[in-house]
Amino acid sequence: KCNVVFVSGSANDQIGQLSSVIGDRPILIIGDEQKLVKGGADIGLYLEKGKLQFIYSESSIASKGLIISSQLMNLGKSLQ
């Protein structure tokens, strides 16, 4: 069980602060741009060739004690 916070790309400047406040609590941060993952979001949504895709930070998600299913990981791209 976890909570979810959805962040707009316009909040790019505040994503790091939000990530710090949440810390290691099981709150998943999802952004509507892939660049938000580099800034501290756990999952970033984006369009590629007209299809909704996502990138995720496995280390950030794991640090919160959350587990991503292997099926879900296969659908997205991991932040390297």
Side-chain angles (χ1 to χ4, degrees), residues 13-76:
D13 296 340
Q14 292 87 26
I15 194 73
Q17 182 180 5
L18 176 62
S19 182
S20 294
V21 169
I22 289 175
D24 62 355
R25 288 182 274 179
I27 300 173
L28 194 64
I29 303 172
I30 300 176
D32 65 354
E33 294 182 11
Q34 59 182 328
K35 68 180 180 182
L36 293 175
V37 176
K38 292 181 181 178
D42 302 308
I43 296 175
L45 306 174
Y46 63 97
L47 286 176
E48 185 176 277
K49 297 180 183 176
K51 294 184 178 183
L52 184 61
Q53 304 289 326
F54 67 95
I55 187 169
Y56 61 92
S57 172
E58 191 170 356
S59 61
S60 176
I61 294 169
S63 73
K64 297 176 179 185
L66 301 173
I67 300 169
I68 308 170
S69 75
S70 59
Q71 294 170 332
L72 185 60
M73 285 193 299
N74 289 335
L75 294 174

